[in-house]
Amino acid sequence: QVQLVESGGGLVQAGGSLRLSCTDSGRTFNTGAMGWFRQAPGKEREFVAAISWSGGSTYYADSVKGRFTISRDNAKNTVYLQMNSLKPEDTAVYYCAAKRGGPHTIVVSAYDYWGQGTQVTVSS
């Protein structure tokens, strides 16, 4: 059974960097595309980035393009989100998500498995 666990969140000043990790503790990683989403207080969950099973295809929200990089290491059952040049508006709970199969997508409801989330706070 897929069990996604995020780590790497924290408090950082504007302009700083963080790297989030998402590991399948169920050690199956028998998933297709994976994605990162975020949810700020009072707002809906929004797409951040996604990556295909092979890692050869990635997709980003316009708000993070050029600053964030998604990658995955299937041998380690882990997907990463490198976040650079962080802004206060990036503050949110970040969630990792996985699909059983099919291409990556920005649609929240298309993902089958979710982690518990990790808090990212960017101070000005």
Side-chain angles (χ1 to χ4, degrees), residues 12-17 84-88 122-123:
V12 64
Q13 289 187 333
S17 298
N84 299 327
S85 302
L86 282 162
K87 305 175 181 180
V122 184
S123 63

Side-chain angles (χ1 to χ4, degrees), residues 2 4 29-35 37 50-53 72 96-114:
V2 176
L4 302 177
F29 221 53
N30 187 23
T31 65
M34 297 191 69
F37 292 78
I51 188 167
S52 62
W53 183 89
R72 68 190 294 170
C96 170
K99 295 183 68 189
R100 290 194 190 94
H104 53 291
T105 174
I106 69 172
V107 179
V108 172
S109 60
Y111 288 80
D112 303 293
Y113 307 101
W114 291 85

Side-chain angles (χ1 to χ4, degrees), residues 1 7 12 17 20 27 38 40 43 50 57 61 69-70 72-74 81 86 88 92 98 108 117:
Q1 182 177 352
S7 62
V12 64
S17 298
L20 305 183
R27 297 183 177 275
R38 66 187 182 187
K43 294 187 177 181
S57 181
T69 302
I70 187 171
R72 68 190 294 170
D73 185 339
N74 289 343
L81 185 68
L86 282 162
V108 172

Side-chain angles (χ1 to χ4, degrees), residues 6-77:
E6 301 99 335
S7 62
L11 173 64
V12 64
Q13 289 187 333
S17 298
L18 284 174
R19 187 173 85 153
L20 305 183
S21 299
C22 172
T23 299
D24 176 13
S25 62
R27 297 183 177 275
T28 61
F29 221 53
N30 187 23
T31 65
M34 297 191 69
W36 285 95
F37 292 78
R38 66 187 182 187
Q39 188 166 18
K43 294 187 177 181
E44 293 187 352
R45 192 167 298 188
E46 66 173 5
F47 170 77
V48 175
I51 188 167
S52 62
W53 183 89
S54 68
S57 181
T58 57
Y59 188 77
Y60 298 92
D62 287 343
S63 59
V64 306
K65 200 172 296 183
R67 301 188 297 122
F68 291 10
T69 302
I70 187 171
S71 61
R72 68 190 294 170
D73 185 339
N74 289 343
K76 295 183 178 179
N77 299 334

